[in-house]
Amino acid sequence: MIKLLSVRLVAIIVGIGFAVAALWAFAVGAYNAATEEVAPHLPYEKPRDIAYSFDGPFGKWDHAQLQRGLKVYDEVCSACHSLKYVAFRDLAQLGYSEGQVKAYAAAKQVPGIDPNTGEATMRPGLPTDYFPSPYPNAVAAAAANNNAIPPDLSLMTKARGDGTNYVASLLMGYQEPSAELLEEHPEAAPGPGLYHNPYFPNLNLAMAPPLSTAGQVTYDDGTEATIEQMSEDVAAFLTWTAEPTMVKRKQTGWPVLIFLLFATILAYLSKKQIWAAVKPKK
């Protein structure tokens, strides 16, 4: 009996200890939130609402657009940004043949090891290789970009709210701040090495406008390469890199929902059949 009481007493003490710790953490968090200096809110704009072929439950990839987006990334974005989670062989999903994938990979230089000396070297890429980084390390990346390390773009559209529209809007949004904005928010003036963009939460970012002129990229399918078109195409491509199985997931979801609906109806009818002979008590 005494042993049982001791166990209960220890349990009560431990429970009280956890409750006190939780209340203390809540109180400290509430105090910090109440006393923290909040940065002034800058009136950035929400991303534009752009229609894409993969939108909605029945959406599908537009392979022509994804190929155009790859071209924009390859000729513009890859100078600063990596795609470290994307392998060259994944490009077959965009409609490229095996030979085209091999040729694309071979045109890229990737880190390798010299089999004769064992030293690090560069070699032509293979389909199994991943997109190489444009910089050897973070220090070199920061030194080449005003101390701002360009982020990897593999998952960018998943890392930002309304990611596809955000990326496209950001690329189209470079402009000079208005006089009204600067009058109301002087802190919104871009500093040295910064560029104003109303879709960026801080309104100013270190990345120079990557898409500055129409025709910067020549599309193989003859599509006119306006800034809007290039922005939307590369945003669509980065949506694919972030979630290449998105369309398959949507296509799989419909049979699953139909099966669950059928199973629910079947279970209801079975329940009615099983309990049909049982009369409720009055």
Side-chain angles (χ1 to χ4, degrees):
M1 185 69 178
I2 296 176
K3 185 176 181 180
L4 180 61
L5 289 175
S6 300
V7 171
R8 289 181 176 178
L9 181 61
V10 171
I12 291 172
I13 294 174
V14 171
I16 293 174
F18 276 114
V20 171
L23 289 173
W24 174 258
F26 175 78
V28 170
Y31 174 79
N32 290 337
T35 57
E36 183 180 11
E37 292 186 7
V38 181
H41 173 72
L42 295 174
Y44 67 92
E45 297 182 17
K46 292 183 178 180
R48 306 180 188 183
D49 188 12
I50 303 171
Y52 289 94
S53 63
F54 48 81
D55 290 338
F58 299 101
K60 295 182 179 181
W61 295 122
D62 181 348
H63 287 169
Q65 183 177 49
L66 297 183
Q67 291 183 11
R68 294 195 302 268
L70 169 62
K71 192 172 184 67
V72 175
Y73 168 78
D74 193 36
E75 297 187 11
V76 180
C77 308
S78 64
C80 298
H81 298 275
S82 59
L83 282 180
K84 64 181 179 181
Y85 297 119
V86 182
F88 294 127
R89 62 186 173 187
D90 296 333
L91 298 180
Q93 300 177 33
L94 305 187
Y96 292 108
S97 66
E98 181 180 354
Q100 288 175 316
V101 172
K102 287 183 177 179
Y104 183 90
K108 305 296 180 184
Q109 291 291 309
V110 300
I113 300 296
D114 189 324
N116 298 318
T117 63
E119 297 180 352
T121 185
M122 301 298 289
R123 60 170 175 80
L126 299 172
T128 52
D129 291 319
Y130 286 75
F131 277 74
S133 172
Y135 303 104
N137 51 57
V139 175
N145 293 276
N146 196 26
N147 290 324
I149 300 176
D152 180 80
L153 298 182
S154 305
L155 306 175
M156 184 56 65
T157 59
K158 300 291 287 185
R160 299 291 184 271
D162 197 10
T164 308
N165 286 329
Y166 170 78
V167 170
S169 300
L170 188 74
L171 292 174
M172 291 185 256
Y174 285 90
Q175 57 188 262
E176 292 297 325
S178 65
E180 293 79 6
L181 174 66
L182 295 179
E183 182 178 357
E184 186 175 354
H185 297 278
E187 67 278 12
L194 298 179
Y195 303 86
H196 181 75
N197 194 308
Y199 297 103
F200 193 68
N202 291 337
L203 295 183
N204 299 298
L205 68 166
M207 182 176 69
L211 301 175
S212 55
T213 59
Q216 193 169 339
V217 170
T218 302
Y219 286 137
D220 298 331
D221 61 3
T223 300
E224 184 181 359
T226 63
I227 293 178
E228 291 77 9
Q229 185 69 57
M230 292 186 290
S231 300
E232 294 176 13
D233 290 344
V234 75
F237 171 70
L238 293 178
T239 301
W240 172 80
T241 65
E243 193 176 3
T245 60
M246 179 177 64
V247 169
K248 181 180 287 188
R249 172 173 55 80
K250 292 180 179 181
Q251 293 173 343
T252 304
W254 284 109
V256 171
L257 289 176
I258 293 173
F259 170 78
L260 291 176
L261 179 61
F262 174 77
T264 301
I265 295 174
L266 186 63
Y268 174 75
L269 295 176
S270 299
K271 177 258 183 186
K272 296 286 288 184
Q273 179 67 24
I274 292 172
W275 294 96
V278 179
K279 295 182 179 181
K281 294 181 179 181
K282 295 183 179 179

